[in-house]
Amino acid sequence: MAKSPEVKLAVFGRAGVGKSALVVRFLTRRFIWEYDPTLESTYRHQANIDDEVVSMEILDTAGQEDVQQKEGHMRWGDGFVIVYDITDRGSFEEVAPLRSLLEEVKKPKNVPLVLVGNKADLDHARQVGTEEGERLAAEMACAFYECSACADEGGAVAEAFHELCREVRRR
Ligand code: GDP
Ligand code: MG
């Protein structure tokens, strides 16, 4: 099997949307309820994607960074997961500004991106419709996943990260 170069992925989104929970779900297939929300961590991971071993470095941002710090993370990354919480409309409204900043930092490059609506298990408290997420993703020309870090039956979390790796390697 061919060994491929490392891809650097950064996870963005408002504090509390479940970035850390999603990253840990992807890495360990487990859900852990509480993380220090101010913590920023990087992880290394290898996955077999389309019969190729892909090495990833994943930056789990805190979501409370100032613009300079955000820009630094954006310069570092090759691909980006933007996460919102389907029960928090404000977190959805932060997606477009994050995308604009990304475009600006990476210009003139096309930015590999996936949009994730997390906490899909909390459908009773939903504030953002699935169609709204789909529409925004279509506008940003990126893949869209609704998922749940705590009830990830269909494996949508891994699918989102794998699709992002594919997207990075296509560019
Ligand atoms: P971060 O600040 O974006 O890293 O968010 P965390 O991963 O720390 O999660 C914030 C809170 O949301 C924690 O209390 C998590 O237990 C909870 N949480 C994260 N993902 C989910 C999910 O998919 N469903 C539910 N119900 N809670 C979640
Ligand atoms: Mg976190």
Side-chain angles (χ1 to χ4, degrees), residues 49 114 143 145 158-168 170:
I49 304 173
V114 297
Y145 300 87
E159 188 44 41
F161 279 94
H162 288 187
E163 183 55 28
L164 181 57
C165 287
R166 290 189 192 103
E167 195 59 34
V168 169
R170 266 180 222 128

Side-chain angles (χ1 to χ4, degrees), residues 15-21 31 33-34 118-119 121-122 148-150:
V17 296
K19 297 178 297 299
S20 301
F31 181 66
W33 278 101
E34 291 305 330
N118 189 38
K119 308 199 187 179
D121 55 295
L122 301 179
S148 167
C150 75

Side-chain angles (χ1 to χ4, degrees), residues 50-88:
D50 309 331
D51 289 327
E52 232 182 357
V53 178
V54 179
S55 303
M56 292 164 235
E57 206 173 333
I58 303 175
L59 169 63
D60 171 26
T61 68
Q64 305 168 326
E65 296 83 358
D66 62 30
V67 176
Q68 268 90 6
Q69 289 170 306
K70 279 198 184 113
E71 288 178 351
H73 293 152
M74 288 172 174
R75 274 192 290 275
W76 174 87
D78 304 315
F80 303 88
V81 183
I82 301 186
V83 184
Y84 67 91
D85 168 354
I86 67 153
T87 72
D88 174 10

